[in-house]
Amino acid sequence: MSTPTESTTPVGATPGPEGNHRLRPWSGRSGRWWLIVGLVLGFAALSVLRVVTGADDLTSSGTIRATLIALSPIMLAGLGGLWAERAGVVNIGLEGMMILGTYGAGYFGYTYGAWAGVAGAIALGMVGGLIHATATVVFGVDHIISGVAINIIALGAVQYLASLTFVGLPGGGATQSPKIPSLPTITIGPLSDALGDLEDQDLFLVSDVASLLRALCTNLSVLVLIGLALLVLSYFLLWRTAFGLRLRSCGESPSAAESLGVAVMRYKFGAVLISGGFAGLAGGVLAMVASSNYRDGQTGGRGYIGLAAMLFGNWRPGGLLMGSGLFGYTETLGLRQGGTSVRALLLAVAVLAVVGGAVLIMRRKTVGGAVTIGIGVLVAAVYFLIDEVPGDFVTMAPYVTTLLVLAFASQRLRMPAADGQVYRKGSAG
């Protein structure tokens, strides 16, 4: 079977003037370097912010470890959206598939053990994926309508199943399961202790790096590591194999792909099934790592946040990781030292706004630059006028951050060309 060949234009590139091509963020080698440089500079900036504001929890090992747990379900849900949309199927049903995953982890984990809970979460998520794939790929139902229907059906179905299976069990009830057995965690004792001593010395950047390394070798759930490994594996499969090229061609030009012998319907169907499995696993992380049982309303809209993280990442795994980390980090800060840590972030926002405004003015975008600088000055004034951010605003911080980042990133987004389009077999001919 012949396969489509890579275009000379990198995925994510758009034509520039006179036929040149401009590489967008997260594209190819340029994207990897931007990701590495961004992570290093961001971590260094947090170290400076910690020293200036005295908010020590900004880079503590506890915060980093909690961030890894918080970002995992968002990242996995976004990864599910990435697989589906790279094949041309919009998956708004990620939230419902996550809900199915939380119940699968709760029921199978309590009944058969921890790893059975992981398998149950993936399996029930794939059930949601199967419904979505059948509706959109086979019957041509509008992708948005199908996804919203799955979210509604999953919510009602799981509440009904929970009332049947968990009521009367020790610690269980209509809105929660009994406690699920814990998954293994990884701790390297001597290294963790040594890094802890270095962290306690409060040295600029050195202690912050020690905190990061300590978080990676202290009480880290294997499911978090599996999630990160799946992100790397997805990048390899989608961008470094013939299978990935065929799948992505289904989301860019399914007619052209079919004319070259690609089984477009099969690839789309399989991608949505995989998408459901990832979303189900995301729900499993919430039930088994972030918590210790299934609870009603546990997902808290993280399926939609995962979709937003995928958009921020421009349909690329590296950007998806950064978007998930941003939400997970701000959510974690709200739970640890709450108002103090979030107040420290206000200073960072003020500085970034002033610098960004200055750059806009240098580029002769005077009005936009002046407005941005004005916002930075206003945020700085708020920082100096208050001692602690009120609790309600702390809770809002992750969602406001996500909206702001998407607003600024939206001008550089490029979705797969055929994403969301209904495709019928034989359309190529």
Side-chain angles (χ1 to χ4, degrees), residues 267-397:
Y267 274 90
K268 284 179 175 287
F269 201 95
V272 180
L273 278 181
I274 294 172
S275 175
F278 276 122
L281 182 59
V285 173
L286 283 174
M288 305 184 73
V289 180
S291 181
S292 58
N293 60 351
Y294 153 81
R295 290 181 186 142
D296 186 29
Q298 196 165 32
T299 57
R302 285 174 176 80
Y304 302 111
I305 298 297
L307 199 61
M310 180 203 68
L311 297 177
F312 165 76
N314 211 7
W315 290 264
R316 302 283 297 199
L320 165 61
L321 177 61
M322 290 189 69
S324 303
L326 181 65
F327 184 90
Y329 181 70
T330 51
E331 182 183 37
T332 298
L333 286 183
L335 300 175
R336 299 173 60 89
Q337 284 192 354
T340 304
S341 297
V342 174
R343 176 179 176 268
L345 290 182
L346 291 178
L347 182 60
V349 171
V351 172
L352 288 173
V354 171
V355 172
V359 171
L360 288 175
I361 291 175
M362 290 174 62
R363 294 180 176 179
R364 299 182 180 179
K365 298 179 180 179
T366 308
V367 176
V371 171
T372 304
I373 291 176
I375 293 174
V377 172
L378 180 62
V379 174
V382 172
Y383 170 79
F384 287 109
L385 287 173
I386 64 174
D387 295 325
E388 185 174 322
V389 176
D392 291 340
F393 290 96
V394 169
T395 305
M396 291 166 52

Side-chain angles (χ1 to χ4, degrees), residues 110-191:
Y110 172 74
T111 307
Y112 302 106
W115 288 110
V118 174
I122 296 172
L124 286 192
M126 292 184 76
V127 169
L130 176 64
I131 297 171
H132 190 50
T134 303
T136 57
V137 178
V138 178
F139 294 107
V141 175
D142 182 271
H143 299 188
I144 305 299
I145 293 175
S146 174
V148 172
I150 287 172
N151 292 337
I152 297 172
I153 292 170
L155 180 62
V158 164
Q159 288 176 342
Y160 175 72
L161 290 172
S163 67
L164 288 180
T165 54
F166 297 142
V167 173
L169 297 177
T175 59
Q176 68 177 43
S177 72
K179 184 176 180 180
I180 307 170
S182 300
L183 288 164
T185 58
I186 295 174
T187 299
I188 306 175
L191 181 58

Side-chain angles (χ1 to χ4, degrees), residues 14 18 35 183:
T14 55
E18 300 178 1
L35 176 62
L183 288 164

Side-chain angles (χ1 to χ4, degrees), residues 19-258:
N20 294 325
H21 293 91
R22 181 178 58 194
L23 198 63
R24 291 194 181 271
W26 325 127
S27 299
R29 294 180 180 178
S30 173
R32 288 195 293 274
W33 280 111
W34 273 112
L35 176 62
I36 294 171
V37 171
L39 289 174
V40 172
L41 291 179
F43 193 75
L46 284 177
S47 181
V48 173
L49 193 64
R50 175 185 65 82
V51 173
V52 171
T53 63
D56 293 334
D57 229 21
L58 285 173
T59 58
S60 69
S61 57
T63 295
I64 296 172
R65 185 165 55 251
T67 297
L68 289 172
I69 295 173
L71 74 83
S72 292
I74 298 169
M75 178 193 70
L76 287 168
L79 200 56
L82 180 86
W83 273 82
E85 298 209 12
R86 277 296 178 179
V89 180
V90 174
N91 192 355
I92 298 294
L94 292 171
E95 177 76 6
M97 296 170 197
M98 283 185 72
I99 293 172
L100 291 171
T102 59
Y103 174 79
Y107 177 77
F108 290 99
Y110 172 74
T111 307
Y112 302 106
W115 288 110
V118 174
I122 296 172
L124 286 192
M126 292 184 76
V127 169
L130 176 64
I131 297 171
H132 190 50
T134 303
T136 57
V137 178
V138 178
F139 294 107
V141 175
D142 182 271
H143 299 188
I144 305 299
I145 293 175
S146 174
V148 172
I150 287 172
N151 292 337
I152 297 172
I153 292 170
L155 180 62
V158 164
Q159 288 176 342
Y160 175 72
L161 290 172
S163 67
L164 288 180
T165 54
F166 297 142
V167 173
L169 297 177
T175 59
Q176 68 177 43
S177 72
K179 184 176 180 180
I180 307 170
S182 300
L183 288 164
T185 58
I186 295 174
T187 299
I188 306 175
L191 181 58
S192 176
D193 294 339
L195 291 170
D197 294 337
L198 190 56
E199 178 184 356
D200 293 338
Q201 293 181 25
D202 202 23
L203 302 173
F204 171 67
L205 197 56
V206 175
S207 292
D208 302 296
V209 173
S211 301
L212 173 62
L213 296 176
R214 188 186 184 202
L216 295 174
C217 64
T218 307
N219 198 31
L220 187 64
S221 172
V222 295
L223 204 53
V224 173
L225 293 176
I226 289 173
L228 293 172
L230 288 172
L231 182 79
V232 176
L233 180 62
S234 293
Y235 167 77
F236 177 78
L237 289 175
L238 291 176
W239 275 271
R240 290 292 181 266
T241 66
F243 163 80
L245 177 58
R246 295 188 190 104
L247 187 143
R248 288 185 292 121
S249 71
C250 296
E252 295 290 347
S253 181
S255 297
E258 188 178 61

